[in-house]
Amino acid sequence: MGRTADAIAEGVAIATAAARLAVKNHILIGTIAENGVFDTDKYVADAREALRAMAEESEEVERNLTELRKRARGRHSDPSGTHDYRDRDVRNLRRRAKQSHGVATKLRDMMQDEAALRVIVEEAREGAWADVRHNLDRRLRVEGMRPDQDPDYERMREARMQALRLVDLQALSSLQRAKAKRKKKQKAAEEDD
């Protein structure tokens, strides 16, 4: 493969990874935060939308590079900054625009490929499950640890008890007061009716 093909493949890989991450976040929010049910078809639509956004971004980059190339043509003075292109940069700008066009085209093709979209969704689902599994495992190890398994138990016990008194019990007390206040308001509102 040539430099352009390699750059296009790398751009598509990066965009696909970004789409997978976006879908993974949608899965985590939809199934955990919103108590939803995993629906592959819904997330296929999310994957398609993520790829569309990446394709549009690549197309915008292509337009910008084309405009920069047009302005650079025929300019032979020294540049005044990093993005002040000159005639000698025209070839590189054309290649970069071609690469951006290639990435956008491949992403648009992927948007129409149901199998490719389902692969993104499945990889995102696996990533979401790995995150959940890792968090559960970490919490169970820390919160479920018994004193005889923790070499620092005695040393950290006083700090944990102080945190319980100053943070957890205070928060619980505040929560109980707020709950009692809400009940009192609700009862007063019911009596007024």
Side-chain angles (χ1 to χ4, degrees):
M1 279 207 283
R3 283 191 343 196
T4 298
D6 287 344
I8 291 170
E10 185 176 328
V12 169
I14 290 168
T16 304
R20 189 170 36 254
L21 180 61
V23 173
K24 179 182 92 167
N25 290 338
H26 287 208
I27 291 170
L28 289 169
I29 290 168
T31 57
I32 296 173
E34 297 173 356
N35 269 340
V37 176
F38 179 80
D39 178 10
T40 301
D41 293 332
K42 176 196 180 306
Y43 296 112
V44 163
D46 289 344
R48 184 176 287 114
E49 176 58 27
L51 290 175
R52 184 197 57 73
M54 299 290 173
E56 287 177 357
E57 187 177 316
S58 288
E59 290 162 350
E60 179 65 25
V61 169
E62 177 189 7
R63 284 190 294 275
N64 289 340
L65 289 168
T66 300
E67 184 60 36
L68 288 170
R69 188 183 81 230
K70 288 177 183 176
R71 279 192 270 151
R73 191 178 314 270
R75 296 177 75 191
H76 297 285
S77 60
D78 287 335
S80 61
T82 306
H83 298 290
D84 186 21
Y85 296 105
R86 297 296 186 244
D87 195 71
R88 66 181 166 266
D89 300 312
V90 167
R91 203 164 107 212
N92 185 39
L93 291 168
R94 183 181 299 114
R95 182 175 56 249
R96 289 173 50 199
K98 184 178 178 182
Q99 291 165 349
S100 291
H101 177 79
V103 169
T105 300
K106 295 258 187 206
L107 293 176
R108 296 254 180 224
D109 290 345
M110 287 177 72
M111 288 171 55
Q112 306 308 316
D113 184 352
E114 192 75 19
L117 293 171
R118 289 186 177 278
V119 166
I120 291 172
V121 170
E122 181 55 28
E123 290 172 348
R125 186 195 64 75
E126 289 172 5
W129 175 239
D131 284 359
V132 169
R133 185 175 46 240
H134 173 75
N135 285 334
L136 284 173
D137 186 52
R138 190 182 80 243
R139 290 186 78 184
L140 289 173
R141 280 189 208 284
V142 172
E143 293 177 14
M145 187 175 283
R146 295 189 331 248
D148 60 323
Q149 294 175 329
D150 186 0
D152 293 329
Y153 180 81
E154 286 301 323
R155 187 173 63 82
M156 296 302 293
R157 185 176 189 282
E158 184 56 37
R160 285 192 305 275
M161 294 307 291
Q162 189 173 12
L164 175 70
R165 283 189 301 274
L166 297 176
V167 178
D168 297 333
L169 291 178
Q170 293 296 323
L172 181 60
S173 175
S174 175
L175 186 66
Q176 292 298 339
R177 283 192 305 271
K179 190 175 180 181
K181 194 174 184 179
R182 276 193 312 273
K183 277 186 177 181
K184 189 176 181 179
K185 271 187 177 179
Q186 185 180 11
K187 187 176 181 181
E190 288 173 359
E191 289 175 358
D192 288 343
D193 289 340

